Amino acid sequence: MLYIILPSSLSVSVCVTILTLAIGERRRQTLRFASDLRGSIALQAVLNAAIPDHEADAFRPPRTEEPLYLDSVVDWLFGGLAHWDAEHFLFIAERGYLYEHNFAFFPLFPIVLRGLAETLLWPLSSWLSVRGRLLLAVALGNSALFLLSVVALYALSRAVLQDRRLALLSSLLYCFTPANVFMTAGYSESLFAALTFGGLFLLEKGFTLRACLALSIATAARSNGLVNIGFLLYLPSLNAISQIRVYRATTEGRSKVLHYIWVILRLLLTSLFGTAVIALPFCAFQYYGYRTFCTPSTSLEQIHPALLSLGERRGYRVPDENGPPPLWCMRPLPLLYSHIQDVYWDVGFLRYFELKQIPNFILAMPMATLAIMAAYAYFQANPELCLRLGLWGTGLEKPTPGFFNPKAFVYVVHSTVLLVFGTLCMHVQVLTRFMASSSPVPFWISAHLLLLNEPLLHRRKTSNPNVQLQTDPKNSFMHTPQNPILALLPHFKSCSPTTQSILGYFLSYWILGLALHCNFLPWT
């Protein structure tokens, strides 16, 4: 058992060590805190062992490979990470895209898992089956990817908010993300968050080509990566308008016209190229699905009998070169992804607005509330800027550091779009992980509200001698102030109602998610 646990701990430690050498003091504090909270892997093992699994009507493919010596140990330690949609990712990593509804899950994360299983974990192949190595790859890979997403979020927050303290607090809150279980389990959320936040940071810094590459790879992880095209259209447009304004003030005559033409031409080329690059993985994956089911080259005899039997019992379509093609192949635009969401998950406009779904709306309400508060507060602070779509105005010349910075406008719009789409067109309980892995805004507004409403964050000594936030002289972070989140928790009852609401939400979802999801109980 120790031989299995050590690689997980060592990989996290090595990742932390490498990253801390390259980043600043505040990022070291955030990263160390995030790595400490990866102890949720151990907590899920305890909760999974203590609470009996619920008999859920979920995808549970039969095991077709003989278990090896350590498979039972790995399953006991990390089995809770393989429930619900994680089963799809693990099945795809092991068997490829066999069933039609598997195509709802994009290929990048299964590729990462299989790559880890066949390279880093290959020495364990005599003791662990492919399934066992994939499960171990989930624990290793998502731990490292979550740490990368923390670093990327901090860097993006610094670049956009231009407020070091707010960026730090946002990143520390992200370590306690309400979507924690999905960042830890066999889901693609950590991978998508790392690529999205990293790509947006590169875009903010002007590295457009590298940003396009990162955001394109993110689209290979999750379909909502397509929404990031909006950033690629908006931020270069903002830069182009700024350049035109400079040229208008500093150049004259024909030279000015040539500058205008060059700026507009470059903007058009950048937008077209970036849109194509980001959309390419989605289009390629849909084409692969079309070829798999509409022009199949696989016969039923080539499929394992146990898997074929499961498909027949549950109504899962498999490719069959001797059978008729599915009806969606005959559509003018044969998108497999849209067909799957419609038929298998019943996803569509207002389809979730039923009385029986009220508990799920309640589950999503805290995240929705944060997004609504962010949009409302930002518009109240910058009404003129918002009406001008953030493209011009007096605030752009002298931006105010913090959440109301003009640079945050496009992120608030992006968050609002995700909220509206997720509420009206998706299973609403998914909203928590959908937004927590796609947008920094829920963490920015939470940190902003804490700094605005929590007196304990603004002074180390208070009128109450029992409530003090002190500097720890023995702190390992080079004598930096104590982690503000951890400092607030012992004085939770003395905190402001806003602080209690935000920290209560983050912590309760962090723990409840592990307890429920890892035992096949319904969660977000």
Side-chain angles (χ1 to χ4, degrees):
M1 185 182 298
L2 182 61
Y3 187 60
I4 299 298
I5 295 174
L6 280 177
S8 178
S9 302
L10 286 174
S11 72
V12 174
S13 300
V14 168
C15 181
V16 172
T17 302
I18 293 173
L19 289 170
T20 52
L21 291 174
I23 60 180
E25 178 180 310
R26 289 177 182 267
R27 270 184 266 191
R28 277 204 300 273
Q29 182 179 8
T30 306
L31 192 57
R32 186 72 63 180
F33 183 47
S35 65
D36 291 342
L37 289 177
R38 290 303 88 199
S40 59
I41 293 178
L43 180 59
Q44 69 79 31
V46 174
L47 293 171
N48 193 30
I51 303 173
D53 279 358
H54 173 63
E55 289 296 325
D57 183 23
F59 179 64
R60 292 188 180 186
R63 305 286 179 259
T64 58
E65 187 181 13
E66 287 296 322
L68 298 179
Y69 304 110
L70 295 178
D71 276 325
S72 60
V73 177
V74 169
D75 192 62
W76 185 86
L77 288 172
F78 306 122
L81 305 180
H83 293 168
W84 295 109
D85 289 354
E87 277 287 7
H88 288 277
F89 286 112
L90 289 168
F91 179 80
I92 294 165
E94 183 178 0
R95 292 282 177 177
Y97 285 90
L98 175 62
Y99 301 120
E100 188 178 57
H101 70 304
N102 289 149
F103 278 83
F105 305 92
F106 278 49
L108 183 60
F109 187 59
I111 290 172
V112 170
L113 294 182
R114 190 61 186 246
L116 287 173
E118 299 296 341
T119 54
L120 181 65
L121 301 176
W122 176 253
L124 297 174
S125 57
S126 299
W127 296 278
L128 282 173
S129 64
V130 174
R131 162 80 181 192
R133 281 181 282 137
L134 288 172
L135 198 50
L136 189 54
V138 167
L140 292 173
N142 270 350
S143 294
L145 288 167
F146 182 76
L147 296 179
L148 288 174
S149 70
V150 172
V151 174
L153 176 63
Y154 179 79
L156 176 63
S157 302
R158 283 288 308 275
V160 174
L161 303 176
Q162 300 174 343
D163 185 323
R164 187 174 295 182
R165 192 179 188 194
L166 186 59
L168 174 64
L169 192 56
S170 300
S171 303
L172 292 173
L173 284 169
Y174 176 72
C175 297
F176 270 121
T177 173
N180 167 63
V181 67
F182 302 104
M183 301 292 191
T184 307
Y187 282 64
S188 57
E189 267 72 6
S190 285
L191 175 61
F192 183 76
L195 289 167
T196 298
F197 296 154
L200 294 177
F201 169 71
L202 292 171
L203 196 58
E204 287 286 349
K205 290 299 183 180
F207 301 113
T208 306
L209 186 60
R210 279 177 273 184
C212 285
L213 181 60
L215 296 176
S216 175
I217 297 172
T219 306
R222 292 186 62 84
S223 62
N224 56 296
L226 290 172
V227 184
N228 292 330
I229 291 174
F231 289 103
L232 189 69
L233 297 177
Y234 180 84
L235 292 177
S237 299
L238 190 61
N239 291 333
I241 292 173
S242 176
Q243 290 177 17
I244 289 175
R245 190 181 296 115
V246 172
Y247 291 148
R248 187 173 60 183
T250 58
T251 58
E252 296 180 358
R254 186 177 178 183
S255 175
K256 180 188 294 187
V257 175
L258 291 176
H259 279 306
Y260 288 171
I261 294 173
W262 167 242
V263 169
I264 294 171
L265 182 62
R266 186 172 62 180
L267 173 63
L268 290 174
L269 292 175
T270 300
S271 300
L272 289 173
F273 173 77
T275 299
V277 169
I278 294 175
L280 179 61
F282 179 87
C283 297
F285 187 52
Q286 297 313 298
Y287 178 71
Y288 172 59
Y290 178 86
R291 290 295 303 270
T292 300
F293 286 96
C294 300
T295 59
S297 58
T298 303
S299 64
L300 297 181
E301 290 75 18
Q302 296 173 272
I303 301 173
H304 194 285
L307 300 177
L308 187 61
S309 175
L310 174 67
E312 292 173 349
R313 291 197 316 270
R314 300 297 300 268
Y316 302 152
R317 179 183 286 274
V318 297
D320 180 13
E321 62 182 356
N322 300 315
L327 293 178
W328 63 265
C329 293
M330 313 302 176
R331 294 175 182 171
L333 187 61
L335 284 180
L336 176 54
Y337 186 75
S338 299
H339 167 74
I340 292 169
Q341 294 295 334
D342 178 34
V343 173
Y344 289 93
W345 272 271
D346 193 31
V347 170
F349 183 65
L350 298 182
R351 289 190 188 179
Y352 224 57
F353 280 69
E354 301 175 325
L355 288 177
K356 66 180 181 180
Q357 302 299 346
I358 288 177
N360 288 322
F361 276 89
I362 293 173
L363 276 177
M365 191 177 295
M367 181 60 72
T369 301
L370 287 177
I372 292 170
M373 290 179 69
Y376 177 77
Y378 195 88
F379 182 81
Q380 286 289 100
N382 300 296
E384 183 180 345
L385 181 78
C386 293
L387 293 175
R388 294 177 176 180
L389 301 181
L391 295 174
W392 68 90
T394 55
L396 294 175
E397 285 75 21
K398 296 181 179 180
T400 303
F403 179 69
F404 299 131
N405 192 309
K407 297 181 73 173
F409 169 78
V410 66
Y411 296 89
V412 175
V413 172
H414 172 255
S415 169
T416 306
V417 169
L418 294 180
L419 171 66
V420 173
F421 179 79
T423 303
L424 300 180
C425 302
M426 292 172 56
H427 291 182
V428 73
Q429 70 269 28
V430 177
L431 198 66
T432 302
R433 59 185 171 100
F434 179 60
M435 295 192 65
S437 62
S438 305
S439 171
V441 169
F443 308 100
W444 289 351
I445 186 62
S446 298
H448 169 77
L449 291 172
L450 287 183
L451 288 175
L452 189 66
N453 295 284
E454 183 47 64
L456 296 180
L457 289 176
H458 296 281
R459 58 181 184 272
R460 283 179 289 176
K461 293 186 177 181
T462 70
S463 57
N464 185 345
N466 297 319
V467 182
Q468 296 183 6
L469 303 188
Q470 301 176 347
T471 298
D472 183 1
K474 298 181 180 180
N475 192 285
S476 60
F477 309 120
M478 300 174 62
H479 306 293
T480 58
Q482 185 180 358
N483 182 321
I485 303 298
L486 293 181
L488 287 173
L489 290 179
H491 312 296
F492 185 81
K493 292 183 178 180
S494 302
C495 292
S496 67
T498 301
T499 302
Q500 291 178 350
S501 299
I502 292 173
L503 294 186
Y505 164 51
F506 276 64
L507 287 171
S508 61
Y509 273 53
W510 194 91
I511 296 171
L512 281 174
L514 288 172
L516 298 177
H517 181 275
C518 294
N519 289 284
F520 263 124
L521 292 163
W523 189 239
T524 65

